[in-house]
Amino acid sequence: MKFFLMLSLSIFFFSCQEKENKNPSVYSPDPVQTKKKKEENKQIGDTIHMNYIDDQGLYTAEGLIDSIRPRIYIKFKSNDLGELKGKIIPTTGKGNIRFNQIIFPDETSDGPFGMDLKIQLTQKGNYIIVIGHSLMADNPFWGKFKVQLENKKE
């Protein structure tokens, strides 16, 4: 089993490597035509890394909960103490979706919360927020949502 796993990982890594471009002038886009890529927080698998703050000072991202990924993990780093405010906005307007848990840098946790989150950050470091549906309610949420986080410094 270990051999099969190592073999498949090796094949995956070798197949994902970018091929060398021998004639860059033919294949590379014109720098004048290339627009600056907008930095945004994107969901990759079941995780959203909040690395970019928008013009309003918010961490914003769009996410998707489905039967394969019933929980989404939001990871961010806070170097400032203060109040964290969060909001989940489902595209359907309403739904059984909430902030299930926040995991602090010292690996303690708190939760559950609702669609809004308001908590004091008393530690510096990496935080994880878990978003999912409430197991106490019917009809789990499946679909797209938008999440906003704001860290107000003390």
Side-chain angles (χ1 to χ4, degrees):
M1 185 68 181
K2 286 184 180 179
F3 175 74
F4 179 80
L5 181 64
M6 294 302 290
L7 179 66
S8 61
L9 283 174
S10 299
I11 292 171
F12 174 74
F13 285 120
F14 284 118
S15 65
C16 290
Q17 289 182 354
E18 190 175 317
K19 304 252 188 245
E20 184 179 353
N21 192 354
K22 300 205 182 215
N23 192 354
S25 63
V26 174
Y27 297 107
S28 63
D30 186 5
V32 175
Q33 295 176 353
T34 306
K35 292 182 180 178
K36 183 180 178 184
K37 190 174 185 178
K38 182 182 174 188
E39 294 178 336
E40 55 187 25
N41 304 308
K42 288 190 172 189
Q43 179 176 338
I44 299 172
D46 63 354
T47 305
I48 300 173
H49 292 277
M50 293 291 204
N51 296 322
Y52 305 110
I53 298 176
D54 67 8
D55 298 336
Q56 300 166 349
L58 301 172
Y59 291 102
T60 58
E62 289 188 11
L64 172 70
I65 290 182
D66 54 22
S67 61
I68 298 170
R69 294 175 212 85
R71 283 182 275 327
I72 302 300
Y73 302 94
I74 298 179
K75 296 183 177 184
F76 69 97
K77 184 173 186 172
S78 177
N79 292 324
D80 301 312
L81 305 179
E83 184 179 60
L84 177 69
K85 290 183 180 181
K87 182 182 270 191
I88 299 173
I89 307 163
T91 56
T92 57
K94 290 189 176 185
N96 177 12
I97 184 172
R98 68 178 183 179
F99 291 103
N100 284 342
Q101 189 176 39
I102 182 168
I103 302 170
F104 300 103
D106 66 355
E107 297 183 9
T108 59
S109 62
D110 193 8
F113 305 95
M115 291 175 69
D116 294 318
L117 171 71
K118 188 174 182 181
I119 193 164
Q120 283 296 122
L121 300 182
T122 58
Q123 304 169 28
K124 294 181 180 181
N126 296 319
Y127 287 82
I128 300 173
I129 297 176
V130 183
I131 294 178
H133 61 270
S134 171
L135 299 176
M136 303 296 275
D138 292 335
N139 302 324
F141 178 82
W142 308 119
K144 293 183 179 181
F145 64 92
K146 185 176 183 180
V147 63
Q148 297 177 337
L149 298 176
E150 178 182 17
N151 187 3
K152 290 194 173 187
K153 301 173 188 174
E154 288 184 337

